Amino acid sequence: MKLLVGIVNNDDANELLNEMNKASFQATKLSTSGGFLKTGNITFLVGVEEERVEELIEIFKNCCSRRTQIVPTAPPFIGEGFLSAAPVEVTIGGATIFILDIDKFLKI
């Protein structure tokens, strides 16, 4: 048995959850935040049999695409005025996945 911890962008979470449900995976969904943009993420906790781990990873790959977004940068403060700062293109989306060994799994 494995525990898959998957962190995804809010925009990808609903489609991912729907696809996991279609494939009979049960997940616990947690709202989280962090990263460069301090935007919302969703962390999924999924208990999965070892032989189905790759199937679940494929679902993550299909639902969590990487894309770029233009974000404004905070202008630096210099003396009595501000300098204008150019927007920056950053990559968002995708998934960060941790796979952990589980010694015991109980459903009560």
Side-chain angles (χ1 to χ4, degrees), residues 1-3 13-14 37 42 47-48 54 59 61 98 100:
M1 181 62 93
K2 300 287 186 180
L3 173 64
N14 286 335
L37 299 177
I42 300 294
V48 59
E54 290 305 317
I59 293 171
K61 284 180 184 177
F98 300 92
L100 309 162

Side-chain angles (χ1 to χ4, degrees), residues 17-72:
L17 187 57
N18 288 337
E19 292 302 316
M20 283 193 294
N21 287 336
K22 285 180 191 175
S24 299
F25 289 106
Q26 295 180 357
T28 298
K29 179 179 155 185
L30 307 169
S31 295
T32 54
S33 64
F36 174 70
L37 299 177
K38 311 245 185 312
T39 57
N41 296 315
I42 300 294
T43 299
F44 288 99
L45 305 176
V46 188
V48 59
E49 297 83 10
E50 194 164 345
E51 59 272 2
R52 295 193 71 200
V53 169
E54 290 305 317
E55 177 186 355
L56 184 54
I57 291 172
E58 281 303 311
I59 293 171
F60 271 82
K61 284 180 184 177
N62 293 334
C63 296
C64 303
S65 60
R66 290 186 159 258
R67 52 210 174 267
T68 58
Q69 178 178 339
I70 305 293
V71 295

